[in-house]
Amino acid sequence: MMSTKAFTLVSAVERELLVGDKEQGHIECVECCGKNLYVGTSDCIVYHFLLEERAQPAGTATFSATKQLHRHLGFRKPVSELRAASALNRLLVLCDNSITLVNMMSLEPVPSGARIKGAVALALNENPVSGDPFCVEVCIISVKRRTIQVFLVYEDRVQIVREVSTPEQPLAVAVDGHFLCLALTTQYIILNYNTGVAQDLFPYCSDEKRPIVKRIGRQEFLLAGPGGLGMFATVAGISQRAPVHWSENVIGAAICFPYVIALDNEFITVHSMLDQQQKQTLPFKEGHILQDFEDRKRRSFCCLLRTGDGLLQEHLQTGAELKASEPERNLLCSSSFVDCLHRVSQVKRGQWVMGLATGQVNSRGCKEMIEVTPRPGRIRVGGRVIVATSKGVYILVPLPLEKQIQDLLASRRVEEALVLAKGARRNIPKEKFQVMYRRILQQAGFIQFAQLQFLEAKELFRSGQLDVRELISLYPFLLPTSSSFTRSHPPLHEYADLNQLTQGDQEKMAKCKRFLMSYLNEVRSTEVANGYKEDIDTALLKLYAEADHDSLLDLLVTENSCLLTDSAAWLEKHKKYFALGLLYHYNNQDAAAVQLWVNIVNGDIHDSTRSDLYEYVVDFLTYSLDQELVWKYADWVLQKSEEVGVQVFTRRPLDEQQNSFNPDSIITCLKKYPKALVKYLEHLVIDRRLQKEEYHTHLALLYLDEVLQQRPGANSKGAEATETQAKLRHLLQKSDLYRVHFLIDRVRGADLPMESAILHGKLEEHEEALRILVHELQDFSAAEDYCLWRSEGRDPPYRQRLFHTLLAMYLQPGPSVPELAVAATDLLNHHAAEFDAAHVLQLLPGTWSVQLLRPFLTGAVRDSVHARRTTQVALGLAKSENLIYKYDKMKLKGSSVRLSDKKLCQMCQNPFREPVFVRYPNGGLVHTHCAAGRHTNPSPPGPGART
Amino acid sequence: MRKPDGKIVLLGDMNVGKTSLLQRYMERRFPDTVSTVGGAFYLKQWRSYNISIWDTAGREQFHGLGSMYCRGATAVILIYDVNHPQSLLELEDRFLGLTDTASTDCLFAIVGNKVDLVEEPAAEDQRKDGRGPGVAGRGGGAPKAPRQVQPEDAAALYRKILKYKMLDEKDVPAAEQMCFETSAKTGHNVDLLFETLFDLVVPVISRQRAQGPPQTVDITSYKTPGQTPSGCCA
Ligand SMILES: Nc1nc2c(ncn2[C@@H]2O[C@H](COP(=O)(O)OP(=O)(O)OP(=O)(O)O)[C@@H](O)[C@H]2O)c(=O)[nH]1
Ligand SMILES: [Mg+2]
């Protein structure tokens, strides 16, 4: 078990102070109340000392005791117990089975001679039941067998309030409220003296061991248990804390939060109530008294004082250290207040009216103290732990909790330090505690961090709300030079930097860096980062760059707060030029960014982050809004690759292709780059379908030039030639915008029959076009396609005419070419529908066999038969329709209509004045003029109908 | 320190493995233990409740503390060692009496620990003619041995306890649910044990909360719901 230094032992009263000449007297009991220290001896003397505490720079204190006076009580018996009742200014002295009341200052017995007789032991009720602040409750073990008595002790009288008998002889007693905690002969019990209900705690053997019963706080006691246990028990008979383990022969115990202190013949041991561990052992021989005076809480009072101009309220504490609640209102010194209380006369419970001697409270112009009311709150009076041998009195001075915690942290005992710190929560004001606790968490975090316990460290940093920069500052050069950060003072850890912490161990160093990376990455988007986003992101950038981490780019392309100058220098140092470009871009310095990337592509500087950096730059420029920049680098990208480079124009978002990116400026720029120009014109003509003659003609010309250029070595670049040619033909066919004549001129004599044919076609010169196709090229399927192409969207006669022209060309009189005949039959057989069969038959040479034209003829005959039949059907249908109408007419004419005055027009509801009328097929009669106004069957006229 | 809402107490003879079971559950490990002095406790957060779990000392010397530890307990876990029949008998003779101070609706669980030391008459053992593999166990290097305590013995004790507490078997969890065989060494059934108990304890706690402070057993006013006290204890 590692030890903690929780207390130091300092001497308070040396033996010489206890009347040197009378040697047989030794210390029997002590009492401490504020600065007053009382010692009772075996030869019946009570000493009164004044304790003066002197703080030492090291944090501990020394004490000097000056003797005030001593008094022999006049018995032959030792003084066995002393208890101060400061509110009454009385000291209770147990001697010779009798409790005497003496004045705390003079040690004179009260004149009334009030005393409690027949007491073996006593206990003061620190949690008194009565609300009366001017009495104390005292509990005694009576000389009567198996009897406990409860008294109220006033300043000069005593009053018994209760006598209870116990199942066995009591040996020790402590009291809290109505609850007595008793050590009986064979067991400990809790006894409610109000209700008489007893609760067994646990058995023990009083023959073997002296029992210990000690109140340690509200409704809780500490008891000596079997096997050297210090057992905790509440008034409900329950243990709420695990026991502490003492030695078997403990004779006294005391509490000084969060410690339990125990005394045996050789040692003082200190256990923590928080984790039950033994924390400290101090050698201390022949000690026989151990007592704490910490929990002496005094009641506080509220006084109403009448001042010259009204009422003034003051909160006061009783006791020797009497003060107004606010230091500057130190109205009353202790003696004057105690004197005031002398004049108190009780009016009703809890309220006193008192006269006040003039001059005592007049510093604020008070005239009168009207009312003193006890407050429910109690005020802790700074206490101490005292140990004594028979010869001397010593004080166990607790080290300040903070110091203890720091000591624990210094020896890397994080767990214990945190437990202690948490345990101190209730002893330290909230704000102060929070500040302290946070700091401890942070320190603990750094301890874990230094041990590379990163998970734990992170949790501690988080809960301790660590300023991340504390952590970053451990890593050399990570904080931006502009950062205003300075480490907290006193420092949270002992390390100058990571080098010192890892002692140069590269592996550890790398681990630490990885941790920081993940930690910063986690916190950068949380509120932890508020206020120092720059510092965090810059540090993160540096870490990523140094570690060649992929996230560097992610960081730079998303929202970040990396500081430009610092980051730029760092990236440059680590040759992260691509990333540096991103950084420039993020900081709106696109020109610098592009220049940098261009340099990389050109090989002037080296950074292999992206193998496709050229494409990246093209892409970047494509979407760049900075037109100047795009123009500046247009030549560069085009020189690198015309096809790719031109994308900065072609892929540019449309809305941007206005202004300086208008087609004409671009075309001018692209003059030097024919391939790029073609791509660009294709973009305009094909993708964007710009209906502008220049572009179409220009593109066609460019295609043509290329085709012509490729001509001489046609064999070597065959495939490509066809490709361009195909594009050219396609354009010539599809576009109606280019200048046909201009092109025909260019094509003429260039030996481009197909193109010529297309161009003639455009001019509706079908004969010429077909002639080229049929006679020059002898490409019959092309001729067929031509007919289809040119007749697209035209009416059937036009189409027929075209086909007939072609057919005529095939059947032209002249030297018979067998291919043409075949072409003619194929044409007829494939496109039977496009021909007027009767007309064709006249054209065909009589020598042709029917078999040859069977498909055509069959089709033609079928068509003709079909046409005839459908016509007959139509005729039949028309006839029958006519018949139906005839029948209807007959029916209507068949019956007569009688017109009388009573018949009204169904439209206007007026009678018919003339014999002329209109009769609707459903029999309705209306005026002729009404019928003219409305050409529908008359419906019963609605509200809106005309009359 | 947060005040616990309910209390579970572990009782049983020394060396049966109380501390080991608790450490296995709370710290997920099986460390060397020393015989417990006095007692120790853990706080376990279960749902919204804080449950304190008390590890007691099995040594005779500390026997007297048991009643206090059990006072107001919501559940008591009685632990024996399946390899020591005596430890089961002790539960009835010495430890059951300590639970008189527990809450009236206290739950009981009976746990036979150290099953890892039992040589099971499984296929493996039949092959080997019933001879154990002879692997030294950790608790004092004990080799595997045939089973000493049958699960039925524990169930019988459970029923005896119900009788002793004058509880109707229908009102409390069945023996099958409340008798466990565990091994702190391997972790066998340890989570099951504690978590079954937590789940049973939670409704009891909320009921007690609704009724006010937990009652302690008061023999004079002791009543089981639906039953009038019989004269058997007179
Ligand atoms: N093989 C085996 N050994 C166990 C098991 N549980 C505990 N032990 C061993 O048994 C011994 C006693 O275990 P503890 O947990 O200290 O027993 P305990 O009940 O707490 O004993 P006391 O504190 O004296 O009451 C130790 O040596 C453990 O290692 C188990 O499940 N299997
Ligand atoms: Mg144990």
Side-chain angles (χ1 to χ4, degrees), chain A residues 86-88 131-135 297-304 313-319 322-325 332 337 341 344 350-352 354 369 371-379:
Chain A
S86 57
L88 314 180
D132 186 345
F134 305 109
C135 73
K297 291 173 192 164
R298 314 292 178 193
R299 292 186 176 201
S300 63
F301 296 88
C302 178
C303 302
L304 277 184
Q313 245 186 15
E314 291 289 341
H315 296 278
L316 303 165
Q317 306 163 23
T318 60
L322 191 69
K323 271 193 204 120
S325 54
L332 301 164
F337 187 63
L341 298 185
V344 169
Q351 216 178 52
W352 291 264
M354 61 208 309
M369 184 181 281
E371 195 178 290
V372 181
T373 321
R375 313 259 310 161
R378 284 156 174 277
I379 287 155

Side-chain angles (χ1 to χ4, degrees), chain B residues 15 17-20 33-37 55-58:
Chain B
N15 218 37
K18 298 178 292 296
T19 306
S20 302
T33 53
V34 289
S35 183
T36 305
V37 175
D55 176 22
T56 60

Side-chain angles (χ1 to χ4, degrees), chain A residues 199-203 225-229 231-233 236-243 245 248 276, chain B residues 1 3-4 7 37-41 54 61-69 71-72 101 214 216:
Chain A
Q199 176 99 267
D200 292 351
L201 294 178
F202 56 87
L229 288 180
M231 296 287 296
F232 296 92
I238 292 173
S239 217
Q240 281 181 339
R241 306 170 201 267
H245 192 195
E248 289 277 357
Q276 277 70 44
Chain B
M1 187 174 28
K3 216 172 138 59
K7 176 158 77 171
V37 175
F41 89 113
W54 280 84
Q61 183 186 18
F62 301 113
H63 191 251
L65 305 178
S67 287
M68 190 168 80
Y69 287 138
R71 184 161 289 126
T101 53
T216 51

